[in-house]
Amino acid sequence: MTTIDGNWLFIGTDRRISECSRIMKEQGFNVLHYEGNNYSDQLAVILDELSPTHIVFPILQMEGTIPVDKINKKTILYPGMATNDWLAAFHEAGITIRPYLKEVEFVWENALLTAEGFLLEYYQTSKRRISGEHFHIAGFGKVGKMTAAVLSSLGASVTILARSPDQLGEAAASGYETMQLPTGTVDVKGILVNTIPSKWLDVGADSTLRIYDLASAPGCLRDNAPDEYYTIHLGLPGKHFPADAAKALSEALLRMNSR
């Protein structure tokens, strides 16, 4: 086994992170995994002893942050979800930052795993088949496209709801029914899969629309919307396919490191 130069520190309790660190260790990298989502005295000691050249952060933004003086200026940081405020000190220090959730191939891989994970959630909660069912999908970004493709391949009919003329045009060209995303109360029947990460959805008090929310916070329901038929499903790749998600992450890290 070839040992590859550099020390990799993986931070996080998500199984995708631990599995990814294992995969890279097996490939010859010098790897250490910190089982935590926050900065701590233990992490401080690890940083001093390991002197990592690469730090992979949790999928969700970690609690607290690593003091800049604990990081070598030549270290490369790989954050997941992180606000500009959280990243500001690293940017100001001139540290290289490569967010893995912006790596294009990984995002598409993650979108496909999310779509397949939704299938498992749907089967488990509905106890119904997909063939012959009608699904409305809000948004036609990467997750929306993958979800539509998976559902239609299993015989479902799909209607795409979007505001963007480009997304509506692409959806129509792909063979899906389309509908302008409503600005008021949504009046559709059946099943809605949301992939839009904003509070855009109003449903009537007597609505029986079944809503599966695959988008990140804050969820799609506005504050006055009933949630009896609403469930949110986050982190589906890590929940259902941790090994596949970790493999995709390891490959993304290597691509980013090689460019």
Side-chain angles (χ1 to χ4, degrees):
M1 180 181 294
T2 303
T3 300
I4 301 172
D5 291 337
N7 298 327
W8 288 73
L9 173 61
F10 285 79
I11 301 172
T13 59
D14 189 295
R15 190 175 168 190
R16 286 169 287 185
I17 294 293
S18 59
E19 187 70 11
C20 184
S21 67
R22 182 193 63 77
I23 290 171
M24 292 187 67
K25 189 171 185 177
E26 289 181 349
Q27 292 178 354
F29 289 85
N30 186 27
V31 172
L32 193 148
H33 174 224
Y34 168 67
E35 185 78 20
N37 295 316
N38 62 301
Y39 184 69
S40 66
D41 291 341
Q42 180 187 359
L43 181 54
V45 171
I46 291 172
L47 289 164
D48 290 339
E49 293 180 349
L50 183 67
S51 297
T53 54
H54 304 269
I55 302 177
V56 182
F57 288 94
I59 307 290
L60 300 178
Q61 182 173 297
M62 69 180 290
E63 300 170 22
T65 188
I66 298 175
V68 172
D69 60 9
K70 287 285 186 182
I71 300 175
N72 187 296
K73 294 294 178 64
K74 294 183 179 180
T75 299
I76 300 173
L77 308 184
Y78 304 86
M81 293 183 185
T83 63
N84 290 333
D85 288 343
W86 191 85
L87 293 170
F90 303 128
H91 281 298
E92 290 171 7
I95 297 172
T96 301
I97 300 172
R98 297 175 181 168
Y100 54 80
L101 292 180
K102 292 184 179 179
E103 206 275 335
V104 175
E105 289 182 53
F106 176 70
V107 174
W108 277 108
E109 219 23 79
N110 209 51
L112 180 55
L113 291 173
T114 297
E116 291 195 35
F118 166 66
L119 297 185
L120 293 176
E121 298 287 321
Y122 175 77
Y123 286 135
Q124 290 170 5
T125 57
S126 71
K127 308 300 181 184
R128 300 290 301 272
R129 65 188 295 186
I130 284 173
S131 178
E133 188 60 83
H134 187 186
F135 291 82
H136 292 79
I137 299 177
F140 202 57
K142 294 178 178 64
V143 173
K145 289 173 183 175
M146 291 294 96
T147 304
V150 168
L151 290 173
S152 61
S153 72
L154 293 172
S157 58
V158 173
T159 297
I160 302 298
L161 284 68
R163 290 199 180 104
S164 163
D166 287 342
Q167 287 192 350
L168 290 171
E170 184 179 357
S174 299
Y176 304 119
E177 296 295 321
T178 61
M179 176 179 170
Q180 185 73 31
L181 193 74
T183 55
T185 301
V186 173
D187 184 23
V188 297
K189 306 291 184 184
I191 302 164
L192 174 70
V193 182
N194 177 63
T195 68
I196 301 173
S198 66
K199 292 188 174 185
W200 65 272
L201 178 59
D202 279 321
V203 294
D206 58 350
S207 173
T208 58
L209 178 65
R210 180 66 174 91
I211 305 162
Y212 293 88
D213 200 336
L214 308 186
S216 55
C220 66
L221 285 184
R222 289 184 175 156
D223 294 338
N224 62 344
D227 60 1
E228 181 180 358
Y229 300 100
Y230 171 87
T231 52
I232 190 163
H233 304 272
L234 302 180
L236 294 182
K239 178 180 179 180
H240 294 296
F241 314 110
D244 295 301
K247 181 175 181 292
L249 176 56
S250 69
E251 292 170 350
L253 293 172
L254 294 182
R255 284 193 297 269
M256 287 188 287
N257 191 44
S258 66
R259 288 168 186 162

